[in-house]
Amino acid sequence: MTTKPNGQTDPKRRIFDAAAALFVNKGYSAIGVREIAKEAGVNIAMINYYFGGKGGILRDILDESYQKYYHAQASAGDDSTPPEERVRKLISNVVAFFRENTEVALIAFNSMLFDVPEIEAIKEKWGKMNFSLMNGLFSQMGVNLSDQVHTSIYNGFLGGMIKNHFQQRYTWENLTDEQKSKITHGEDMIATKFNFDDLFYERFTDLLVNQYFHGVIYATQKDKMKYGPK
Amino acid sequence: MTTKPNGQTDPKRRIFDAAAALFVNKGYSAIGVREIAKEAGVNIAMINYYFGGKGGILRDILDESYQKYYHAQASAGDDSTPPEERVRKLISNVVAFFRENTEVALIAFNSMLFDVPEIEAIKEKWGKMNFSLMNGLFSQMGVNLSDQVHTSIYNGFLGGMIKNHFQQRYTWENLTDEQKSKITHGEDMIATKFNFDDLFYERFTDLLVNQYFHGVIYATQKDKMKYGPK
């Protein structure tokens, strides 16, 4: 967050942060510029000045999120890195990305929007870059992204798993005490006693690496044996 | 769908179906009763008469969806069924549930709503029943749902995986040609040439069973060896 010398946050960043909090809680479609302006303590003209409208804020949120997510994946290694090591670094980096950027990450992973022209170029750019990046790792593990069954299961698998955890955590942590008190089932699943610290994420990462890497190798081999190479 | 002798669909079912299509596409919060009434070709008074309002429609949609989902899981066996066989039947049944009830299934899996009083009782009822049902299978595989790391990964894992596929498929199939033409990346991932037939879902189920079952057994054993029993 950019803070001005007098302690006031930059209005552009205030708009960005207010919109992110509203989008993540209620969804992009349910929020209007009026609500964002009120929450950020600015007038609507300022939103138009900085972002050109609601779609422009979403574009900047997605661009920031995709850029960081791409970096998390790219810094896990390349096609010369042993695949299990690369998967471990990848999961560890993506978990760190979600911990540090929960709101923008959840917005990016939940925004399957096809009617916002402002975000088309951003989605295309990062989509292509991610595809090239991950294609190599998938080949190393026997996953063929042009096979419709493989891609239906493995495209988005890891990101989806990690997102699910952070979505549940975020939703739980943002409930009011009254809302929490009404949840009488599943209290062991997202319990208040949960402590999402470094040790939690170390075990979480280990378990996910083993579940994913071992499972992929086994499942793709079995698939090839039963249905032939694709 | 209930059809009257004269070929006209029952207005209650028309409201239910229209609301389901709107909720799944735009989300519950973004939709008003006026829009539902228009789409169903009824007046708002009729929605109030049959459902008591928007929350009442959601309650009925969730109840139908949870009931079928529970049945899909329950008919996969019990704690005396060998776990791999139970996982195979479970995945196969849940895939069939999603194929036959895509819209209500996606609504149920996407509705993390905590401010709709009408749905509280339904969520609690099915949440408790599902928890008891799955707890036994998890124990058979070495997963302990009161361990915060295990539950963060495995609670909702399978349903989430299967949901992701149907969400992508549904979103893709409901795009206009113009929207599809703008997607220049990822065309191999959800391609028009994809054929979601019985053979596709047979391979999909096999791959998911092997990925999941083998991965769980391996990952929970490794976790126990490294961090001790929980």
Side-chain angles (χ1 to χ4, degrees), chain B residues 144-155:
Chain B
N144 173 9
L145 285 184
S146 56
D147 174 322
Q148 66 170 354
V149 178
H150 286 198
T151 201
S152 293
I153 289 184
Y154 290 119
N155 178 38

Side-chain angles (χ1 to χ4, degrees), chain A residues 171-190:
Chain A
T171 302
W172 174 258
E173 289 176 350
N174 284 279
L175 293 179
T176 62
D177 287 343
E178 202 207 332
Q179 286 170 322
K180 283 182 186 166
S181 73
K182 284 182 189 155
I183 299 177
T184 53
H185 70 272
E187 63 272 52
D188 290 324
M189 301 178 216
I190 326 173

Side-chain angles (χ1 to χ4, degrees), chain A residues 7 10 49 52 81 88 111 139 142 172 182 187 190 201 209 225:
Chain A
D10 169 12
Y49 174 75
T81 311
R88 184 170 300 277
S111 295
S139 300
W172 174 258
K182 284 182 189 155
E187 63 272 52
I190 326 173
Y201 285 109
V209 170
M225 280 162 59

Side-chain angles (χ1 to χ4, degrees), chain A residues 112-116 119-120 123, chain B residues 171-172 175 179 182-183:
Chain A
M112 300 226 299
L113 299 161
F114 293 93
D115 49 2
V116 185
I119 66 174
E120 277 170 20
K123 281 169 74 178
Chain B
T171 303
W172 174 259
L175 293 179
Q179 286 170 323
K182 284 182 189 153
I183 299 177

Side-chain angles (χ1 to χ4, degrees), chain B residues 52-63:
Chain B
K54 189 173 78 149
I57 313 178
L58 182 64
R59 178 198 59 225
D60 281 15
I61 290 175
L62 295 187
D63 198 28

Side-chain angles (χ1 to χ4, degrees), chain A residues 5-211:
Chain A
N6 63 1
Q8 273 279 54
T9 315
D10 169 12
K12 188 176 180 188
R13 193 70 207 183
R14 280 218 308 279
I15 297 167
F16 183 101
D17 291 336
L22 289 166
F23 292 164
V24 78
N25 282 309
K26 297 190 177 179
Y28 175 80
S29 312
I31 297 297
V33 278
R34 215 169 284 274
E35 231 167 323
I36 300 168
K38 194 183 163 197
E39 196 63 28
V42 302
N43 56 51
I44 293 179
M46 218 179 256
I47 293 184
N48 290 327
Y49 174 75
Y50 283 118
F51 297 97
K54 189 173 78 150
I57 314 178
L58 182 64
R59 179 197 58 224
D60 282 15
I61 290 175
L62 295 187
D63 198 29
E64 179 173 312
S65 185
Y66 290 151
Q67 187 263 319
K68 288 181 178 172
Y69 181 58
Y70 180 82
H71 181 73
Q73 294 180 98
S75 53
D78 55 34
D79 296 357
S80 69
T81 311
E84 186 165 2
E85 186 188 322
R86 192 171 170 191
V87 166
R88 184 170 300 277
K89 281 188 189 159
L90 180 78
I91 293 179
S92 173
N93 291 351
V94 173
V95 165
F97 158 72
F98 268 94
R99 288 179 80 180
E100 289 155 22
N101 308 275
T102 309
E103 288 192 342
V104 297
L106 289 177
I107 294 168
F109 274 75
N110 287 332
S111 295
M112 300 226 299
L113 299 161
F114 293 93
D115 49 2
V116 185
E118 290 92 333
I119 66 174
E120 277 170 20
I122 290 293
K123 281 169 74 178
E124 189 181 332
K125 175 185 158 194
W126 293 111
K128 276 183 181 164
M129 285 177 69
N130 266 319
F131 188 82
S132 330
L133 189 63
M134 296 304 290
N135 212 10
L137 175 58
F138 280 126
S139 300
Q140 288 178 298
M141 297 189 295
V143 173
N144 173 10
L145 284 184
S146 55
D147 174 321
Q148 67 170 354
V149 178
H150 286 199
T151 200
S152 293
I153 290 184
Y154 291 119
N155 179 37
F157 185 109
L158 270 184
M161 292 282 319
I162 296 168
K163 187 215 88 169
N164 285 348
H165 162 70
F166 283 95
Q167 180 73 65
Q168 287 197 339
R169 179 182 163 185
Y170 185 85
T171 302
W172 174 258
E173 289 176 350
N174 284 279
L175 293 179
T176 62
D177 287 343
E178 202 207 332
Q179 286 170 322
K180 283 182 186 166
S181 73
K182 284 182 189 155
I183 299 177
T184 53
H185 70 272
E187 63 272 52
D188 290 324
M189 301 178 216
I190 326 173
T192 35
K193 65 180 179 206
F194 277 18
N195 193 7
F196 298 113
D197 55 12
D198 290 345
L199 178 61
F200 173 88
Y201 285 109
E202 189 190 314
R203 273 187 68 211
F204 180 90
T205 300
D206 272 346
L207 200 68
L208 200 49
V209 170
N210 289 325
Q211 167 71 47

